[in-house]
Amino acid sequence: MNREDAQLLFEYDRWANARALQAAAALNAEQFARDLGGSFRSVRDTLVHIFGGEWIWLHYWREASPSFAFLAELRSRRDALFNSEAVPSFAAVQTKWTEVEKEQLEFVNGVTDESLGKLLPFRTTEVSLAHLMQHMANHSTYHRGQIALMMRQLGAEPVATDFHVFLVEGRM
């Protein structure tokens, strides 16, 4: 993956997240927080998980020399910042996402072909920044699919967030 591919992938991710938020805006507060029994109980909790995941990866990538201690501290910060008590309403979710998106855009605009090849420690191996960025976008896509199912369970209309829809309708 080169710089242009990374920027396109994250342009898509921002577009798809915005569409998921737009769909969730149609829910009332009870629907937004209703426990539907999924891996993340509600639409709110799933959105918070997506944004918390994007936040933690971004902070990991920006660290000059990440350590296991740094990762443990990051997880604690994520858990404090991204949970249903800290982000209880749609407005709070939207505000938190705006903050994450701004930082993410700055980072993605600064990547180079060379930086994408940088190897970062990951579990028991090392993985390139490019592959970790692909993982993060894929993770968000997975959970947006869960949100689409939750929207149907709530009797609401999910929105299409497929990459091909982005290519046809979403690119500016």
Side-chain angles (χ1 to χ4, degrees):
M1 178 165 75
N2 61 31
R3 180 178 196 268
E4 290 77 26
D5 292 335
Q7 290 176 332
L8 177 65
L9 181 63
F10 277 74
E11 182 183 348
Y12 160 69
D13 186 65
R14 287 188 307 277
W15 172 86
N17 284 338
R19 288 185 55 107
L21 280 169
Q22 177 186 19
L27 301 174
N28 64 40
E30 184 278 327
Q31 290 172 313
F32 186 63
R34 184 185 301 168
D35 186 343
L36 297 169
S39 57
F40 298 95
R41 298 181 321 228
S42 63
V43 170
R44 177 200 58 212
D45 292 356
T46 307
L47 286 168
V48 169
H49 176 74
I50 291 170
F51 303 147
E54 294 197 8
W55 178 89
I56 198 168
W57 279 115
L58 175 64
H59 284 78
Y60 177 66
W61 300 334
R62 292 188 336 197
E63 178 64 19
S65 50
S67 65
F68 289 113
F70 174 75
L71 287 173
E73 188 268 328
L74 258 187
R75 283 186 199 102
S76 293
R77 285 178 51 206
R78 179 207 51 207
D79 293 347
L81 293 169
F82 297 91
N83 64 67
S84 56
E85 290 80 31
V87 192
S89 66
F90 179 81
V93 168
Q94 199 165 33
T95 298
K96 187 63 72 177
W97 170 239
T98 300
E99 295 167 10
V100 172
E101 185 179 59
K102 181 178 182 266
E103 289 182 72
Q104 188 183 77
L105 187 58
E106 290 171 10
F107 177 81
V108 172
N109 284 338
V111 298
T112 63
D113 290 347
E114 182 181 346
S115 69
L116 290 168
K118 178 182 175 183
L119 293 177
L120 298 168
F122 183 72
R123 299 190 184 183
T124 60
T125 190
E126 292 183 325
V127 179
S128 72
L129 173 60
H131 287 154
L132 291 174
M133 291 176 78
Q134 287 172 321
H135 162 73
M136 191 232 68
N138 190 56
H139 173 265
S140 296
T141 297
Y142 173 78
H143 289 297
R144 285 190 299 267
Q146 291 177 326
I147 290 171
L149 174 62
M150 290 176 173
M151 297 294 289
R152 287 184 182 95
Q153 289 174 317
L154 292 166
E157 188 69 29
V159 295
T161 58
D162 294 304
F163 186 66
H164 77 276
V165 175
F166 162 73
L167 292 173
V168 173
E169 298 177 8
R171 296 217 55 212
M172 295 178 195

